[in-house]
Amino acid sequence: MARSLLCRAVDVVQLSRLTLLTGTRLYSQTQTEPLTVRQQNNGIRRIILNNPKKRNALSLSMLESLRENILTDVDSDDLRVIIISANGPVFSSGHDLKELTSAQGREYHTQVFQSCAEVMTLVQDIPVPVIAMVNGVATAAGCQLVASCDVAVATEKSTFATPGVNVGLFCSTPAVAIGRAVPRKVAMEMLFTGTPISARDALLHGLISKVVPEERLEEETLAIARRVCQASRPVVALGKATFQRQMAQGRDAAYATASKVMVDNLALRDGQEGIRAFIEKRKPVWSHKAEKAHD
């Protein structure tokens, strides 16, 4: 990527209050748990929104913590897929409205929305797939986060909404992601009314990928993640980047972009390994390196 995606992990220091160091910004909170929890095993990174008492609101601190968890060692070959989930009955209620009062001021408000846009963009720009695992309510920027993920698996009880209009703040930034995930008229009804849609309707309209019973959410999500891990990392990275790029183009330009990338994919060592393995009727042995087999 144009700029390095390597960032320092969050350091947790227990003093009289919990202080979290995120990049160059310090912030404090009275709770005893970090805002997000990061775990990684066998190529699968789990990022868990961990502020259920505040409905996992995407405060500026939460956004910064989420950003750090996404970016840490993102270019490592050991990272193959990210799953974002949440503790508690609410996946995320969106922005913390207490941060959006006049007392905070325009500069702070600008920082909040710039940080949010950066996180949503990172989800789509990083080289590994990001899966949302939703078990509950996702509203406003929380719904935006789901829409921004590459894949989304939700339980039958989950609901999705953009209710900002009902509190005087139209969900204009969530509309960027949601309007690219669902049909225009569905998005507009959600935005104009704030009425929640069910998981089944979210699946019907393309906001999420799959609806499962609550007891199978973990199993179904991990099954998708493990399948991703079976593929070549540079091939997946190339495919994800190309999909995002061509979706923003007209038909002819998209075909030109995709055709060139197919040729580039064939030049990869793992691209040739996969074809040889198919011809030889064996499992491919991926290098997971973006090395070329030929020019």
Side-chain angles (χ1 to χ4, degrees):
M1 298 180 67
R3 59 189 179 89
S4 173
L5 293 178
L6 295 178
C7 293
R8 289 177 295 171
V10 176
D11 294 324
V12 180
V13 180
Q14 184 78 44
L15 298 170
S16 59
R17 301 177 74 193
L18 185 67
T19 300
L20 298 179
L21 176 61
T22 309
T24 58
R25 177 181 169 84
L26 286 167
Y27 60 93
S28 299
Q29 61 183 71
T30 56
Q31 64 184 42
T32 59
E33 296 292 331
L35 289 172
T36 60
V37 177
R38 188 181 81 242
Q39 307 164 346
Q40 188 166 325
N41 188 37
N42 296 323
I44 302 172
R45 176 174 299 175
R46 304 285 299 270
I47 301 175
I48 304 166
L49 307 183
N50 191 43
N51 195 9
K53 289 183 179 179
K54 291 193 174 181
R55 296 166 60 87
N56 293 311
L58 294 181
S59 62
L60 183 58
S61 297
M62 175 74 91
L63 287 166
E64 290 177 344
S65 184
L66 181 57
R67 176 184 178 276
E68 289 290 337
N69 287 172
I70 291 170
L71 287 175
T72 298
D73 296 328
V74 74
D75 291 321
S76 169
D77 292 343
D78 293 332
L79 176 63
R80 312 292 294 287
V81 62
I82 293 174
I83 297 172
I84 299 177
S85 60
N87 284 330
V90 177
F91 177 79
S92 176
S93 59
H95 290 293
D96 185 347
L97 294 183
K98 291 181 180 179
E99 293 188 339
L100 304 182
T101 64
S102 296
Q104 296 294 335
R106 188 179 187 89
E107 184 176 345
Y108 188 87
H109 296 163
T110 299
Q111 187 178 2
V112 168
F113 290 107
Q114 285 180 343
S115 180
C116 183
E118 181 180 3
V119 168
M120 302 302 167
T121 302
L122 281 173
V123 166
Q124 297 186 333
D125 287 352
I126 61 172
V128 298
V130 181
I131 305 171
M133 186 172 80
V134 185
N135 185 27
V137 177
T139 61
C143 188
Q144 178 184 2
L145 180 57
V146 175
S148 297
C149 288
D150 302 303
V151 178
V153 184
T155 57
E156 295 164 326
K157 72 177 186 180
S158 297
T159 59
F160 306 85
T162 51
V165 68
N166 297 323
V167 296
L169 183 64
F170 199 85
C171 286
S172 294
T173 45
V176 174
I178 295 166
R180 285 163 170 76
V182 306
R184 181 185 298 262
K185 288 181 174 58
V186 173
M188 295 306 284
E189 182 179 348
M190 291 178 67
L191 292 162
F192 287 147
T193 68
T195 303
I197 63 172
S198 68
R200 290 293 174 188
D201 282 344
L203 176 64
L204 175 67
H205 298 310
L207 182 61
I208 62 176
S209 316
K210 184 178 289 190
V211 179
V212 299
E214 186 173 1
E215 63 272 15
R216 288 177 49 201
L217 178 62
E218 186 101 358
E219 174 189 352
E220 294 281 350
T221 307
L222 284 174
I224 296 171
R226 291 182 183 121
R227 285 295 299 271
V228 171
C229 289
Q230 292 174 11
S232 162
R233 189 184 196 276
V235 169
V236 170
L238 182 63
K240 175 175 175 175
T242 304
F243 181 84
Q244 295 290 352
R245 186 162 66 251
Q246 63 86 18
M247 285 296 290
Q249 298 175 326
R251 183 195 62 187
D252 293 348
Y255 269 119
T257 294
S259 297
K260 180 183 181 301
V261 171
M262 293 289 284
V263 175
D264 293 340
N265 194 157
L266 286 171
L268 288 175
R269 175 179 168 186
D270 279 356
Q272 289 301 306
E273 165 60 17
I275 291 174
R276 283 196 304 270
F278 180 83
I279 293 171
E280 296 168 7
K281 298 181 179 179
R282 60 175 175 82
K283 289 185 177 181
V285 179
W286 307 123
S287 71
H288 298 297
K289 304 290 184 183
E291 299 172 351
K292 289 189 176 182
H294 61 262
D295 292 330

